[in-house]
Amino acid sequence: MCRSVLFALLGLSLGLVCGFPSPLEEVEDGGKHWVLIVAGSNGWYNYRHQADACHAYQIVHRNGIPDEQIVVMMYDDLANNKMNPTPGIVINRPNGTDVYKGVPKDYTGEDVTPDNFLAVLKGDAAAVKGGSGKVLQSGPNDHVFVYFTDHGAPGILAFPSDDLNVKDLQDAIKYMHSNKKYKEMVFYIEACESGSMMSDLPSDVDVYATTAANAHESSYACYYDEKRDTYLGDWYSVNWMEDSDATLAHMKVVAFQGQSKGGAAAAPLALPPVLNPDLIPGPDVPLAILKRKMMASNDIRVARKLLLEIENHYKVREKMADTMNLVVQRVTGNSFKAQEVLNEKVELTQHQCYQSALTHFKNTCFNWHKAEFEYALRHLYALVNLCERGYSTDSIQQAMDSVCDPKGFVPQPY
């Protein structure tokens, strides 16, 4: 018997088969399938997240779950983006088919928020702001499937302009469990350090989870497309989705992803193998795209401009690392202790301290919701370590105030 909370990186098939109820059990209990799909990013260089989300919709839709029971949240700035060489079409693998057509636009643009996500998940229509107003109306016999894809850091998942923290997510799950909002619920989370979002979940709430990484690792992008100059997918996500496309009929996960009408699983799709997945850690994607574009350019002026962008990117990274180093030194009082803090990775338990510290860092030093500062997410573990060592929120915030430029760091133009 598998544990109620199941974590896996890429060994998904084994975990899903041993952990989830059978389709027959789902039919007999009279319940429904409810699905919440979220892509939390925007921008062309983050193409892969919304492509993942669109593909996930096609899987559950193809397997018979009606749109009335599916909620999709995504910024929706890809299909008609000026950088899209195939207007109106989004793909999730090399030479892939369109995964955008038919996707519901329940919450798009600035309506893709943590508050709306939590309201939709809990079925709280009154708390929703903007969008279609659709929420999960699940009950005690229902199966709920939640798929989230975007950037992350210890204890948070990023949305376009805000963050979802682990405490709010787990409080929502506990609320749903105590109010009988599901029979069983599954989370697939594609984000760096995504394991931190489920590590403290109680074992008796009938929630299963797989994540793209543990609490200390990056997730991986894949499938670089030279025609689009971006990555088409995320490795964890395309693994479970392409596996679902090809073998869904043989996997018990259909209890959550649905079955095609008539009771039989949808016919498997024949997917040609991708020989080179072009794996790259998620945080390195913007830099990798710039390097690939420069190497592919035959125009010396374009290549020089891209080189300047690359140099500037490295300067911003260096500035963020130096800033966090100085903040930690100010808090700890000496460089030796600072290096200890910067070199360790510990589990997050001091949620209030950490949430206050990361919010202040975002507002005072580097707002990672701006594309040029996205890499700041990689330094938040230092704030976890400071809080876990017992340093006060006031001392951490004062250090930030003394180190960070109140006018903000401005990258050099190119």
Side-chain angles (χ1 to χ4, degrees):
M1 185 69 180
C2 292
R3 296 176 57 188
S4 294
V5 180
L6 172 68
F7 292 93
L9 177 58
L10 293 177
L12 294 177
S13 297
L14 176 61
L16 296 176
V17 170
C18 73
F20 297 165
S22 69
L24 181 60
E25 179 183 350
E26 188 278 330
V27 172
E28 289 179 346
D29 66 25
K32 295 180 177 179
H33 302 289
W34 294 89
V35 178
L36 175 53
I37 298 170
V38 185
S41 69
N42 57 6
W44 189 254
Y45 72 103
N46 283 322
Y47 181 105
R48 63 196 188 278
H49 298 136
Q50 292 184 66
D52 292 339
C54 290
H55 189 176
Y57 165 78
Q58 300 299 343
I59 290 173
V60 296
H61 176 76
R62 186 167 62 90
N63 284 278
I65 300 180
D67 284 357
E68 294 76 27
Q69 292 160 219
I70 304 171
V71 178
V72 178
M73 305 179 73
M74 65 177 188
Y75 207 84
D76 194 25
D77 60 346
L78 299 185
N80 298 306
N81 193 297
K82 65 181 181 180
M83 297 183 70
N84 191 352
T86 56
I89 293 175
V90 174
I91 62 175
N92 195 216
R93 75 190 318 263
N95 302 309
T97 58
D98 180 27
V99 294
Y100 181 75
K101 184 178 180 180
V103 176
K105 312 298 192 303
D106 293 305
Y107 299 88
T108 60
E110 295 305 315
D111 294 331
V112 182
T113 67
D115 288 344
N116 276 347
F117 168 79
L118 294 171
V120 170
L121 185 63
K122 294 187 292 185
D124 187 358
V128 167
K129 296 180 180 178
S132 68
K134 193 195 304 183
V135 299
L136 303 189
Q137 300 178 41
S138 54
N141 294 322
D142 295 341
H143 296 298
V144 176
F145 175 50
V146 181
Y147 171 58
F148 178 94
T149 176
D150 188 20
H151 301 288
I156 62 169
L157 296 174
F159 279 69
S161 302
D162 204 350
D163 306 295
L164 173 67
N165 69 68
V166 59
K167 186 177 185 304
D168 286 347
L169 175 60
Q170 296 201 8
D171 284 350
I173 292 171
K174 294 171 186 175
Y175 166 85
M176 293 178 71
H177 182 259
S178 63
N179 286 275
K180 303 185 185 306
K181 293 285 187 177
Y182 61 88
K183 180 179 180 181
E184 287 165 320
M185 181 158 55
V186 170
F187 281 83
Y188 285 7
I189 305 178
E190 170 74 63
C192 291
E193 292 138 327
S194 46
S196 64
M197 299 302 291
M198 291 290 172
S199 57
D200 295 326
L201 193 66
S203 61
D204 60 351
V205 293
D206 296 312
V207 169
Y208 301 80
T210 75
T211 61
N214 64 24
H216 308 298
E217 295 175 332
S218 295
S219 60
Y220 282 76
C222 64
Y223 298 163
Y224 184 78
D225 186 279
E226 293 183 356
K227 183 177 179 181
R228 292 167 176 80
D229 289 325
T230 192
Y231 287 84
L232 303 179
D234 291 285
W235 190 232
Y236 160 90
S237 291
V238 300
N239 267 270
W240 79 257
M241 286 189 284
E242 291 180 2
D243 192 39
S244 295
D245 281 333
T247 66
L248 195 56
H250 308 293
M251 294 177 63
K252 293 182 180 181
V253 73
V254 294
F256 296 89
Q257 294 177 359
Q259 292 180 311
S260 61
K261 295 177 182 178
L269 300 179
L271 298 174
V274 177
L275 299 180
N276 181 10
D278 289 317
L279 298 183
I280 186 81
D284 293 329
V285 163
L287 186 59
I289 291 175
L290 289 174
K291 289 180 177 179
R292 282 179 173 268
K293 289 171 68 175
M294 185 182 72
M295 295 299 292
S297 176
N298 293 319
D299 187 324
I300 188 64
R301 291 171 297 180
V302 171
R304 285 176 176 170
K305 182 176 183 294
L306 289 166
L307 180 60
L308 288 175
E309 288 188 56
I310 291 169
E311 291 175 348
N312 194 51
H313 192 97
Y314 277 119
K315 288 179 181 178
V316 174
R317 279 196 184 190
E318 183 179 3
K319 178 65 176 179
M320 289 187 287
D322 290 345
T323 297
M324 184 60 80
N325 195 320
L326 286 172
V327 167
V328 173
Q329 285 192 43
R330 296 287 174 89
V331 174
T332 60
N334 67 69
S335 58
F336 178 77
K337 286 185 178 179
Q339 287 307 307
E340 286 186 341
V341 170
L342 292 168
N343 290 329
E344 67 184 1
K345 297 286 182 73
V346 300
E347 299 299 320
L348 172 62
T349 64
Q350 301 301 312
H351 295 283
Q352 184 173 352
C353 170
Y354 175 61
Q355 188 62 37
S356 297
L358 74 84
T359 300
H360 200 74
F361 187 75
K362 178 172 65 176
N363 294 336
T364 306
C365 302
F366 301 100
N367 183 352
W368 49 84
H369 295 287
K370 296 180 179 180
E372 61 268 32
F373 299 140
E374 191 177 278
Y375 202 81
L377 288 166
R378 307 282 62 81
H379 297 288
L380 297 186
Y381 73 90
L383 303 181
V384 174
N385 297 342
L386 288 173
C387 289
E388 296 300 324
R389 282 173 170 251
Y391 293 103
S392 70
T393 301
D394 286 346
S395 67
I396 298 171
Q397 292 181 350
Q398 289 170 8
M400 293 176 191
D401 291 339
S402 68
V403 170
C404 297
D405 186 343
K407 296 180 181 179
F409 175 72
V410 180
Q412 295 297 311
Y414 41 77

